[in-house]
């Protein structure tokens, strides 16, 4: 490798196409066999003196971590849309640029959301469990009945890129779509959905509710015992955004009482070790935080992160900068 290539380090092994690009265009240490934590990435940064650091949530950089970065680091490129693991203002204050990977994972996250909606409504977890046990008896007409998705009213909290993509998909199921957002979108962005400025006015109208917003900085959930209680009895809750958006004790109570017929969850407050009480519930369809987990999307995320590094080195605008 040529010594005049830009230097970078990464906290995780990237996809094969991205690793091949790193080998061709950058000077970098070997790909880590397992994800590096914050302490390990800081140690490597001081040893290798990179211009850029690629990270994911495995290696959060906040507070004193940022103060500990060597002066050579000019960019922190996160291979994600979410920024919960980075103190962006502190990085920018040190003169370190920040980039993320928006847009490229919108479709896969929306696809997963639809999977969670259908699976939760149609009791997929319970059907799968029954089949793995061997089935063994004919179901009666009134046994293990789910709920039809077609024609239901879907409420979306957070009508950004992913929320809009979910709304588009929901129309394929002839769903009536409502949304709550910090502001009403232009009609061209609403995807035919109806805006509710007041969340409490929207919730009683939702057969299915899907969350698509960042976690609050203070960690307070938006779905609590009170807000869950505003949903119609027997509704379904889906979360492919952030685990902190839900009070999980209130969620468990709602699922046990029948206030919620089911839930579809890709994210949890304590990852990768979700509350065992949630894991034990039969009426929850769960996936392990895999909204972007396709070959196409993860490759595009890695490449966009590297595009930002290449732009920084070239002195051209970053393709996807994060600003304060």
């Amino acid at each position: 490798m040529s010594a005049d290539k830009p230097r970078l380090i990464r906290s995780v092994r990237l996809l094969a196409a991205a690793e091949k690009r790193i080998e061709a265009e950058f000077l970098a240490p070997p790909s880590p066999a397992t994800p590096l934590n914050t302490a390990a990435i800081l140690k490597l940064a001081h040893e290798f003196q990179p211009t850029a650091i690629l990270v994911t949530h495995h290696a959060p950089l906040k507070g004193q971590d940022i103060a500990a970065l060597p002066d050579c680091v000019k960019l922190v490129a996160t291979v994600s849309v979410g920024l919960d693991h980075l103190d962006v203002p502190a990085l920018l204050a040190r003169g370190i640029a920040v980039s993320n990977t928006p847009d490229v994972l919108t479709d896969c996250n929306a696809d997963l959301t639809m999977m969670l909606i259908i699976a939760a409504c149609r009791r997929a977890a319970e059907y799968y469990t029954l089949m793995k046990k061997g089935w063994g008896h004919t179901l009666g007409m009134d046994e293990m009945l789910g709920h039809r998705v077609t024609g239901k009213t879907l409420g979306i909290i957070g009508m950004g890129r992913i929320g809009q993509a979910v709304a588009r998909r929901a129309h394929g199921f002839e769903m009536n779509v409502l949304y709550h957002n910090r502001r009403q979108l232009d009609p061209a962005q609403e995807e035919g959905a109806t805006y509710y400025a007041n969340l409490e006015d929207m919730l009683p109208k939702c057969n299915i509710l899907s969350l698509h917003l960042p976690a609050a900085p203070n960690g307070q959930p938006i779905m609590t015992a009170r807000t869950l209680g505003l949903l119609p009895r027997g509704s379904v809750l889906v979360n492919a955004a952030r685990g902190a958006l839900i009070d999980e004790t209130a969620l468990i109570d709602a699922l046990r009482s029948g206030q919620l017929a089911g839930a579809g969850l890709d994210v949890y407050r304590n990852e990768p070790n979700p509350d065992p009480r949630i894991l034990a519930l039969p009426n929850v369809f769960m996936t392990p935080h895999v909204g972007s987990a396709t070959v196409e999307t993860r490759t595009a995320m890695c490449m966009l992160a590297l595009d930002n590094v290449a732009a920084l080195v070239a002195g051209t605008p970053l393709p996807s900068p994060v600003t304060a």
Side-chain angles (χ1 to χ4, degrees):
M1 291 185 291
S2 172
D4 60 2
K5 291 180 180 179
R7 303 170 73 88
L8 69 79
I9 60 175
R10 62 253 196 238
S11 65
V12 294
R13 182 180 68 254
L14 304 182
L15 272 73
E19 290 291 344
K20 186 175 181 179
R21 180 178 174 185
I22 289 175
E23 184 178 353
E25 299 180 20
F26 302 95
L27 188 65
S31 174
T34 58
L36 303 180
N37 61 20
T38 302
I41 203 72
L42 288 173
K43 181 175 182 292
L44 184 59
H46 281 275
E47 292 172 350
F48 196 75
Q49 293 289 297
T51 300
I53 300 177
L54 271 63
V55 298
T56 64
H57 67 280
H58 299 98
L61 294 172
K62 298 185 177 183
Q64 291 304 308
D65 306 325
I66 294 168
L69 287 168
D71 292 338
C72 59
V73 175
K74 302 302 179 186
L75 170 67
V76 171
T78 181
V79 191
S80 67
V81 172
L83 299 163
D84 299 354
H85 53 296
L86 299 179
D87 186 339
V88 173
L91 284 164
L92 297 178
R94 270 209 64 185
I96 300 172
V98 181
S99 68
N100 65 344
T101 59
D103 298 322
V104 295
L105 48 66
T106 296
D107 284 333
C108 278
N109 273 272
D111 289 350
L112 182 83
T113 297
M114 293 307 300
M115 181 179 82
L116 294 174
I117 289 172
I118 296 167
C121 287
R122 293 300 304 270
R123 300 177 68 166
E126 294 167 90
Y127 295 160
Y128 181 76
T129 298
L130 177 63
M131 294 305 298
K132 292 295 284 186
K133 290 180 178 179
W135 189 5
H137 68 279
T138 301
L139 295 177
M141 283 288 291
D142 60 351
E143 283 188 81
M144 297 193 75
L145 303 184
H147 293 278
R148 181 174 61 189
V149 173
T150 300
K152 291 295 192 292
T153 295
L154 169 67
I156 295 174
I157 305 180
M159 196 68 158
R161 299 178 185 89
I162 298 172
Q164 292 170 41
V166 170
R168 287 195 295 273
R169 286 155 174 76
H171 291 312
F173 288 86
E174 301 173 9
M175 300 178 81
N176 174 38
V177 183
L178 318 176
Y179 78 98
H180 170 71
N181 207 43
R182 287 179 296 178
R183 61 174 180 83
Q184 184 170 5
L185 302 180
D186 294 332
Q189 297 176 299
E190 287 186 311
E191 301 295 343
T194 301
Y195 176 64
Y196 280 78
N198 189 323
L199 176 62
E200 295 185 2
D201 290 340
M202 184 182 81
L203 291 177
K205 298 176 172 62
C206 301
N207 306 120
I208 303 163
L209 183 69
S210 190
L211 310 181
H212 299 284
L213 67 162
N218 62 8
Q220 290 299 307
I222 192 168
M223 299 312 299
T224 62
R226 184 178 64 82
T227 50
L228 288 169
L230 292 174
L231 291 165
R233 185 171 178 82
S235 54
V236 165
L237 176 65
V238 167
N239 186 13
R242 287 290 181 266
L245 294 171
I246 298 176
D247 177 337
E248 290 185 341
T249 295
L251 172 67
I252 292 163
D253 291 342
L255 287 162
R256 286 174 173 170
S257 70
Q259 171 61 17
L260 291 178
L265 305 176
D266 185 51
V267 290
Y268 314 86
R269 280 190 168 265
N270 186 32
E271 297 183 8
N273 299 295
D275 189 322
R277 296 175 299 167
I278 297 176
L279 299 175
L281 290 169
N283 53 342
V284 183
F285 184 87
M286 292 171 279
T287 51
H289 201 154
V290 290
S292 64
T294 66
V295 173
E296 297 88 349
T297 291
R298 289 280 173 88
T299 299
M301 290 168 67
C302 293
M303 290 303 194
L304 180 53
L306 292 174
D307 288 344
N308 279 281
V309 179
L312 176 87
V313 173
T316 58
L318 303 187
S320 54
V322 175
T323 57

